[in-house]
Amino acid sequence: MNNLPLICLPISFYLRPCSTLTTANMLAPKKCPSSKTWEDQPKEDLVLHLIHLTVPALLTQTSLWEPYLECGLRDKLTGITGREQVAAAMGIFGPRTTYVLSLKDNPGTHEFLLLDEGKWLHVKDKTTIGEGKMFSPGNLRATFDNPKCAKLIDYYVREKYTLRYMGGMVPDVNQIIVKEKGIFTNVTSPTAKAKLRLLFEVAPLGFLIEKAGGYSSDGKQSVLDRVVTNLDDRTQVAYGSKNEIIRFEETLYGSSRLKVAEPVGATA
């Protein structure tokens, strides 16, 4: 186990109406639904779209939503928000293999640990992301030409936050859930553009964080409220505790949608 590489992947499920796309024809990528017009589908029926970012060894799972792309229904993964997810999960494979899962109609985010005998142990239900001085800053190149981003990072350093940065969003966000504290940021600038995709990466982790009792933000709103207009939509993002998200929004934009009595932005 100790020689295994660290592999991380977020997974999300979106609930959308459809009557003819069943499990059987989802597993047959060349078979299309009988009707190619989304509006023709009865609205009382539902289907799960499986969307994930993964590694080549697991690419077979991506075929679950290929029939929709082949049948001209690509636009039906747009016009939605992260609130329409019914489940999200992320896995970390390595010396300690874990799986974190959230379901829309069940409280909390649940952590599972893979035991040596091949069984999964339900470790804990995560329902609170509290305050704590731990930060994971992504896209630090943005500090070069985004003074507000530089101000935010300077605040973390000046206040002696503990740096916990693995270079990947999934493990960095996972530790916020596991340790129940901290902040992850990935801020953009004129030269350091957004790289994280809303549909495939940002929204699933936002779902996990918010179900765990934390908050997410693109600077002005929860990432779960941001409408997907294009499959390749990209955005800046922050995940963490309430006060950390308030600080993120106030520092970057001067105010926060989350109500507090006193500003907590990174002062000069």
Side-chain angles (χ1 to χ4, degrees), residues 72-90:
L73 296 174
R74 179 186 298 269
D75 62 324
K76 298 313 170 184
L77 289 176
T78 61
I80 61 175
T81 71
R83 302 281 179 201
E84 295 181 59
Q85 294 174 98
V86 294
M90 62 180 171

Side-chain angles (χ1 to χ4, degrees), residues 121-149:
L121 174 66
H122 186 200
V123 178
K124 189 178 181 181
D125 296 347
K126 309 289 184 176
T127 58
T128 303
I129 303 295
E131 305 304 325
K133 292 186 174 183
M134 183 180 75
F135 78 116
S136 302
N139 202 27
L140 279 176
R141 290 176 297 176
T143 59
F144 175 73
D145 56 348
N146 184 338
K148 293 180 179 179
C149 176

Side-chain angles (χ1 to χ4, degrees), residues 22-263:
T22 64
T23 301
N25 61 34
M26 284 174 73
L27 296 176
K30 299 303 180 182
K31 184 181 294 185
C32 294
S34 58
S35 172
K36 295 185 180 182
T37 304
W38 182 265
E39 287 71 17
D40 292 341
Q41 307 294 345
K43 304 306 181 192
E44 65 273 12
D45 295 328
L46 299 169
V47 65
L48 289 177
H49 288 277
L50 173 62
I51 305 170
H52 68 187
L53 179 71
T54 183
V55 293
L58 300 174
L59 280 177
T60 52
Q61 296 186 37
T62 60
S63 64
L64 289 176
W65 54 288
E66 283 176 0
Y68 267 65
L69 303 185
E70 293 174 2
C71 295
L73 296 174
R74 179 186 298 269
D75 62 324
K76 298 313 170 184
L77 289 176
T78 61
I80 61 175
T81 71
R83 302 281 179 201
E84 295 181 59
Q85 294 174 98
V86 294
M90 62 180 171
I92 297 183
F93 301 87
R96 185 178 186 272
T97 298
T98 62
Y99 197 73
V100 178
L101 172 70
S102 293
L103 304 174
K104 182 177 182 179
D105 296 325
N106 289 272
T109 293
H110 308 273
E111 182 189 12
F112 297 86
L113 173 67
L114 181 61
L115 304 177
D116 290 341
E117 57 267 32
K119 296 181 180 180
W120 289 94
L121 174 66
H122 186 200
V123 178
K124 189 178 181 181
D125 296 347
K126 309 289 184 176
T127 58
T128 303
I129 303 295
E131 305 304 325
K133 292 186 174 183
M134 183 180 75
F135 78 116
S136 302
N139 202 27
L140 279 176
R141 290 176 297 176
T143 59
F144 175 73
D145 56 348
N146 184 338
K148 293 180 179 179
C149 176
K151 183 178 181 180
L152 185 63
I153 300 302
D154 287 345
Y155 174 86
Y156 298 143
V157 175
R158 185 172 66 250
E159 294 298 316
K160 296 181 172 57
Y161 276 51
T162 299
L163 175 64
R164 289 286 184 267
Y165 180 68
M166 297 185 66
M169 181 170 68
V170 168
D172 288 340
V173 173
N174 180 70
Q175 70 177 344
I176 294 176
I177 294 174
V178 171
K179 296 182 179 179
E180 301 178 332
K181 65 178 182 179
I183 176 76
F184 169 88
T185 62
N186 192 293
V187 183
T188 61
S189 76
T191 59
K193 305 295 185 181
K195 294 183 178 180
L196 300 175
R197 292 170 292 180
L198 177 61
L199 182 65
F200 299 95
E201 299 165 300
V202 173
L205 296 188
F207 187 90
L208 289 168
I209 281 284
E210 295 198 12
K211 290 289 288 186
Y215 294 80
S216 69
S217 177
D218 66 357
K220 298 181 179 179
Q221 63 183 340
S222 165
V223 298
L224 297 184
D225 293 325
R226 184 161 177 156
V227 178
V228 178
T229 58
N230 187 286
L231 295 184
D232 198 48
D233 281 352
R234 301 175 187 232
T235 181
Q236 65 180 3
V237 65
Y239 305 108
S241 64
K242 182 176 182 178
N243 277 349
E244 292 298 348
I245 295 302
I246 292 172
R247 180 175 293 110
F248 173 80
E249 293 180 346
E250 285 185 346
T251 303
L252 265 60
Y253 295 100
S255 63
S256 174
R257 64 200 157 86
L258 303 173
K259 304 295 184 181
V260 290
E262 298 293 336

